Amino acid sequence: YSPAARSVTHSTVLSRADDLLPEYDYIIVGGGTAGLTVADRLTEDGKHSVLVLERGVFQNSSSVTTVSGGFWGLIDPTITFNISSVPQTGLNNRSVAVIGGLVLGGSSGVNGMQVLRGQREDYDRWGAYFGKKSEWSWEGLLPYFQKAWNFHPPSPELVSQFDIKYDADYWGSSSNVHASFPTFSWPVLKMEMAAFGDIPGVEFPSDSGSGETGAYWHPASVDPATVLRSFARPGHWDDIEAERTNYHTLTGQRVLKVGFEGKRATEVVFVPGDATDQSQARSVKAKKEIIMAAGSIHTPQILQASGVGPKQLLQKAGVPLVVDSPGVGSNFQDQPFTIAPSFNLTNFPFHPDFYDMLLNQTFIAEAQAQFAANRTGPMSIASGNCGSWLSLQVITPESWEDIAKRYEAQDPAAHLPCGTDKKVIAGYKAQQKALAKSMRSKDSAAYNFFLRGGYEEGSVVYLHPTSRGTVHINPADPFFSPPEVDYRALSNPTDLEVLLEFTPFTRKYFLETRMNTLDPVELSPGADVTAPEDIEAWLRSVMVPSSFHPIGTAAMLPQNLGGVVDEDLLVYGVKGLSVVDASVMPDLPGSYTQQTVYAVAEKAADLIKSRA
Ligand SMILES: Cc1cc2nc3c(=O)[nH]c(=O)nc-3n(C[C@H](O)[C@H](O)[C@H](O)COP(=O)(O)OP(=O)(O)OC[C@H]3O[C@@H](n4cnc5c(N)ncnc54)[C@H](O)[C@@H]3O)c2cc1C
């Protein structure tokens, strides 16, 4: 390979689309978390040529790299997309912001850096959709979780100060993507964590990666050598060991569609990122495979715009049909947030705390000086490192069985969008059975309280919602208009039933454990809001249907269950096209999503190499 290219780092970065080779073995659409992981693995033996086409650009500003606080990327509009969702009828017709990374490295470059794995049952459930022999299981994925991360244990001082449990056997040490702990943490967290143990049924597992429920400390995606964000770009793109002339990257390019010869995917059509029409469209060919990694919001858009999607939607948009794949853009899931009361701890003897880092100028100046001197202290904390991941049995010992029973008895079509395809309904029926089982399992988490370490707390995430949304191309403009994103929040009544249990449980945590000695006063919705209908009204007014963990829009499920990809991650009905990003997860793990995305991508790379 000898294109006119400049090697800024180790992947060969093409400065212009004119420098592209006419043909690559593999083309990866989206240089995000999954895309760069797969690109790195496919190019490491030097046998295959790979092109990554990414809509964002290389960006190494402080909003990408800064660890402290965790969310500088989220608020930087130059490296994120921000789409308004369809107004949510379940949320008083509010539209909510759909945000993800639009930068080389994708959402791993803007996320909150919390590294969590979910429960064993989550991955066994995925495999069970295909049958007992599936290699998608906890045991099947564990080697990929280990391969995906380079684990650095917490310091002995942190371990003894906070009673942190960890077991390095659940982790690996060879990846360039790092999982590490801060060098400092907020003193109140010791008590906040211990207080979970005052609640019957809450365990303290041996490691955050052991696949169990309970209260635990977990690492963040931070490189401990530099105390900068560790993510897919440094991990799988610029820190690779030698320049790879077979690994090409072209940034600032918006992929519009995949082109087919018959049923074989052969080319990718793209335009410069700022183009508003197709006049500058060009294409590049793939010999072996086109690999979709544009994330759960844009992978379904590109597939639909390419003719792979629900027939009626494509007809409406005037997109020629390549294969009727009703699951593309259905089965959309994310984890609701802001769904439990928040409390102010009015008798608070712990100093410093999380709020000092926000409000106390003297403390902030000291923390900055300490970080500048040796990269330690409060500024080494990202968005948090501990909390609880608890089963419905723990949350509501009285009602979990009734909730599961009522959910299981639902007509699977009843709460899906009108006109949902029969196969997609069958897929939901299978999920309904599996999720009802999870509701009854003490080894599956429904509720997550993530702790920040301040005098005010109340950040709760619902891990396994039952409502299903959609991501569809805008029929008026499939290519340039953002996709229509509809969470269909609270469309399944089981979600409200579960969420109504989160309020009394969270109150119990503050008022009936050792937390009570800190004189907690409820801030929102307020102690006088106790009737279910009032809590429901509050939920509908404040709930956000997303924790930025979208999945499921190109689900790995059997084809008769509305699946888009098979167990090898190949798109049904066509040849030479696969999906490797978060959209293949058939349902959510009981955790945040980045750790799983990396593990799935590592496995995807092996699957792709095995068919090379
Ligand atoms: C603000 C935020 C906070 C989060 N916090 C956490 C957390 O703390 N812990 C956790 O575990 N998870 C977190 N997540 C979720 C996690 O980061 C994602 O699940 C994961 O990174 C998704 O990886 P992906 O490969 O599926 O997609 P992405 O990493 O988003 O990659 C998709 C890539 O495709 C590119 N692209 C899109 N459209 C096109 C197109 N048309 N042409 C070319 N390229 C295109 C995008 O620019 C992007 O680079 C967070 C996510 C966000 C957005």
Side-chain angles (χ1 to χ4, degrees), residues 29-35 53-56 71 74 81 99-108 110-116 253-256 293-296 298 301-302 383 547-550 581-583 592-595 597:
V29 177
T33 319
L53 283 169
E54 164 56 38
R55 187 167 157 204
F71 281 110
L74 167 66
F81 62 82
I99 298 177
L102 208 160
V103 62
L104 191 62
S107 297
S108 71
V110 302
N111 69 20
M113 293 174 248
Q114 303 199 40
V115 175
L116 289 150
Q253 308 294 325
R254 178 184 196 141
V255 171
L256 298 181
S296 299
H298 294 105
Q301 178 189 24
I302 298 167
S383 59
S547 306
F548 313 116
H549 303 152
D581 59 26
S583 49
Y592 314 159
T593 39
Q594 72 161 336
Q595 192 176 162
V597 169

Side-chain angles (χ1 to χ4, degrees), residues 391-401 403 498 501 505:
S391 68
L392 202 57
Q393 286 200 25
V394 166
I395 300 303
T396 173
E398 305 78 24
S399 307
W400 58 268
E401 176 57 33
I403 294 174
V498 173
E501 299 297 337
F505 177 79

Side-chain angles (χ1 to χ4, degrees), residues 32-35 107 126 292-297 299-300 331-333 548-556 565 569 579-589 592-598 600-601:
T33 319
S107 297
W126 290 4
M292 298 299 304
S296 299
I297 305 297
T299 283
N331 191 45
F332 174 47
Q333 300 158 59
F548 313 116
H549 303 152
I551 64 124
T553 48
M556 177 183 65
V565 298
L569 302 180
V579 185
V580 297
D581 59 26
S583 49
V584 301
M585 297 187 204
D587 48 38
L588 280 154
Y592 314 159
T593 39
Q594 72 161 336
Q595 192 176 162
T596 308
V597 169
Y598 280 110
V600 167

Side-chain angles (χ1 to χ4, degrees), residues 1-5 7 12 14 19-26 42-43 46-51 243-248 287-288:
Y1 308 99
S2 55
S7 266
T12 302
L14 305 179
D19 298 336
L20 285 174
L21 299 175
E23 203 171 52
Y24 290 83
D25 289 324
Y26 300 100
L42 292 183
T43 50
K47 289 186 186 152
H48 303 292
S49 56
V50 172
L51 170 68
E243 183 185 333
R244 293 184 193 161
T245 52
N246 59 332
Y247 183 172
H248 286 189
K287 278 188 270 190
K288 290 181 182 294

Side-chain angles (χ1 to χ4, degrees), residues 467-609:
S467 300
R468 294 292 178 267
T470 53
V471 177
H472 286 159
I473 41 173
N474 177 347
D477 183 3
F479 298 111
F480 292 95
S481 171
E484 293 174 348
V485 179
D486 188 355
Y487 292 96
R488 301 185 70 256
L490 300 180
S491 55
N492 192 306
T494 297
D495 285 343
L496 192 59
E497 277 201 71
V498 173
L499 292 174
L500 287 177
E501 299 297 337
F502 284 10
T503 294
F505 177 79
T506 306
R507 287 175 173 157
K508 184 162 136 185
Y509 169 73
F510 284 104
L511 303 174
E512 295 174 30
T513 68
R514 68 190 74 185
M515 293 304 288
N516 196 27
T517 60
L518 305 182
D519 295 347
V521 172
E522 187 169 326
L523 295 171
S524 170
D528 54 336
V529 180
T530 52
E533 58 276 18
D534 294 337
I535 299 175
E536 175 182 337
W538 168 74
L539 273 171
R540 290 190 192 279
S541 68
V542 297
M543 189 186 113
V544 182
S546 165
S547 306
F548 313 116
H549 303 152
I551 64 124
T553 48
M556 177 183 65
L557 281 169
Q559 199 171 10
N560 61 355
L561 298 184
V564 175
V565 298
D566 64 14
E567 287 183 276
D568 292 327
L569 302 180
L570 285 163
V571 175
Y572 291 115
V574 294
K575 290 199 176 350
L577 183 63
S578 58
V579 185
V580 297
D581 59 26
S583 49
V584 301
M585 297 187 204
D587 48 38
L588 280 154
S591 69
Y592 314 159
T593 39
Q594 72 161 336
Q595 192 176 162
T596 308
V597 169
Y598 280 110
V600 167
E602 292 282 7
K603 183 171 168 67
D606 274 2
L607 290 168
I608 295 165
K609 281 194 266 186

